[in-house]
Amino acid sequence: MRKWYKFLISNKFNKDIEDRFLFTNYQLIDNNRNIKDIFRFENFKKNEVFFKQYNFLKNNLDPNKETLFIGSSWGECEFFLKDKFKILASDNEDQYVEFHKNNTDLNFIKLNILDLENQNLKYEQIVINNIEYLLDNHQLKKCVENISKISKPGTRIFVIFRSRDGFLIKIIDQILTYSETYLTYLIKKIYKKVYFFKGHQGFRRSLKEFKKNWIENEFEFQKLYEDLYEVDYNRLRIVKRLKISNFISKIFFKSNPYLNILVFKKLNPTLHKPSN
């Protein structure tokens, strides 16, 4: 695990944001003014990441089982899946719960997966919606343990895990995006008042490191879906402008998929006790 920072230019912020939860809310809530537009399917389809997730889940979820989504955020995928599946969306932020209470018919509850004192229900199908990057090792361990508590034996867990860590991703994060953004800042600073700052986006983990957390908590790894091999390269303006992301992904043998969906199955602990 390593810390992951995002480098930005702003005419408002003039200092770094170290609180990763505050920084996430800034990007997903405070900086998102036309949120109702994403609940039009023609707009939703334009978001390649969410549309890929939507299609995978549409083809893999069991429609006869209620599906708990954890970390739904605005709940775009959940909203468009709800007519074909029994969906229960959830998040720890009140803004998301209130939005759906007042604007949609999506079943949406407030749920803190790190604190399940009042949660006694168990589910047969759970989707964890890309929250691992916000959690340090202690919190991730607690998260997986709590998901185990609310899972029945045989429950299928779909874990959406974006942009796994590796040597090239580390170079992009720590050197290339920093250099490119800072150079842009120096140019803009000539003709207008702007600030360069970094926000603590969360944490990066390798795929092996991430899988280990689940396997150690009596989950059996079943399969991995990988997609969107160019997204991380397109974070660099020069790569996107020159349209060479596809070429780079082929050079590195498609080794850096942005979208990873891991499927686990909850084992029956009475049948999988370690031998003495």
Side-chain angles (χ1 to χ4, degrees):
M1 182 191 77
R2 66 174 172 87
K3 284 189 174 183
W4 169 29
Y5 288 93
K6 197 170 185 178
F7 304 100
L8 298 166
I9 301 168
S10 172
N11 58 6
K12 180 170 63 173
F13 284 104
N14 60 1
K15 61 181 180 179
D16 296 341
I17 303 177
E18 285 294 336
D19 186 324
R20 59 192 183 277
F21 297 100
L22 177 66
F23 186 55
T24 295
N25 285 342
Y26 161 70
Q27 296 177 92
L28 293 178
I29 299 175
D30 301 335
N31 207 28
N32 211 330
R33 298 172 184 172
N34 301 314
I35 192 61
K36 290 184 179 180
D37 290 344
I38 67 175
F39 294 99
R40 298 187 179 96
F41 195 66
E42 62 272 18
N43 293 332
F44 174 73
K45 288 192 297 183
K46 296 175 184 177
N47 187 316
E48 193 175 22
V49 178
F50 286 157
F51 197 53
K52 291 278 188 181
Q53 292 175 196
Y54 165 81
N55 282 322
F56 177 85
L57 294 172
K58 183 178 69 173
N59 294 325
N60 287 273
L61 291 178
D62 185 339
N64 296 314
K65 296 178 179 178
E66 183 179 34
T67 305
L68 172 67
F69 279 74
I70 295 171
S72 292
S73 181
W74 290 112
E76 298 98 312
C77 286
E78 293 88 323
F79 178 80
F80 291 108
L81 288 167
K82 66 180 172 55
D83 293 330
K84 295 183 178 179
F85 300 92
K86 302 171 185 177
I87 302 296
L88 177 61
S90 74
D91 203 280
N92 189 43
E93 293 291 338
D94 291 322
Q95 292 95 324
Y96 304 130
V97 182
E98 289 301 314
F99 174 83
H100 284 283
K101 180 180 178 181
N102 296 322
N103 295 282
T104 78
D105 59 350
L106 175 64
N107 192 6
F108 204 117
I109 63 171
K110 183 172 181 177
L111 177 68
N112 181 358
I113 194 57
L114 299 179
D115 182 6
L116 293 180
E117 291 183 5
N118 299 316
Q119 174 62 265
N120 298 314
L121 298 177
K122 288 186 179 288
Y123 300 89
E124 295 180 291
Q125 204 160 234
I126 299 175
V127 177
I128 296 89
N129 211 348
N130 185 223
I131 62 172
E132 85 295 328
Y133 74 96
L134 285 170
L135 308 178
D136 60 27
N137 281 338
H138 174 74
Q139 290 169 325
L140 180 60
K141 184 175 184 293
K142 183 68 174 178
C143 171
V144 177
E145 288 174 353
N146 282 343
I147 290 170
S148 182
K149 291 177 183 177
I150 62 173
S151 304
K152 297 179 180 179
T155 292
R156 295 181 78 202
I157 312 290
F158 298 82
V159 187
I160 299 170
F161 173 44
R162 295 185 194 161
S163 194
R164 62 206 195 199
D165 202 13
F167 176 74
L168 186 56
I169 298 301
K170 188 174 183 179
I171 295 297
I172 291 173
D173 283 349
Q174 298 183 344
I175 299 175
L176 298 181
T177 56
Y178 170 83
S179 301
E180 189 179 66
T181 307
Y182 193 73
L183 179 60
T184 304
Y185 158 72
L186 292 177
I187 295 171
K188 286 187 174 183
K189 189 179 178 183
I190 296 172
Y191 58 89
K192 64 179 179 179
K193 188 175 182 179
V194 292
Y195 304 100
F196 174 84
F197 75 103
K198 68 178 181 180
H200 185 192
Q201 184 79 7
F203 303 96
R204 293 284 203 193
R205 293 179 174 89
S206 68
L207 181 64
K208 181 179 179 180
E209 182 183 6
F210 186 64
K211 284 171 62 176
K212 182 181 177 183
N213 284 280
W214 292 88
I215 294 170
E216 288 178 346
N217 280 275
E218 297 172 336
F219 288 97
E220 176 186 72
F221 174 70
Q222 293 194 316
K223 67 177 180 178
L224 169 66
Y225 170 77
E226 302 173 327
D227 212 327
L228 300 177
Y229 300 94
E230 302 174 36
V231 171
D232 271 315
Y233 307 128
N234 278 323
R235 288 193 287 131
L236 299 170
R237 294 180 181 89
I238 189 168
V239 170
K240 192 170 185 177
R241 183 167 295 179
L242 295 176
K243 299 181 179 180
I244 57 174
S245 57
N246 183 257
F247 174 69
I248 296 174
S249 71
K250 289 179 179 177
I251 288 178
F252 290 100
F253 304 103
K254 293 187 174 182
S255 58
N256 293 296
Y258 179 75
L259 178 60
N260 305 269
I261 302 179
L262 296 86
V263 182
F264 294 94
K265 180 181 177 181
K266 171 66 176 174
L267 298 174
N268 189 331
T270 61
L271 300 178
H272 293 84
K273 289 182 177 178
S275 57
N276 295 326

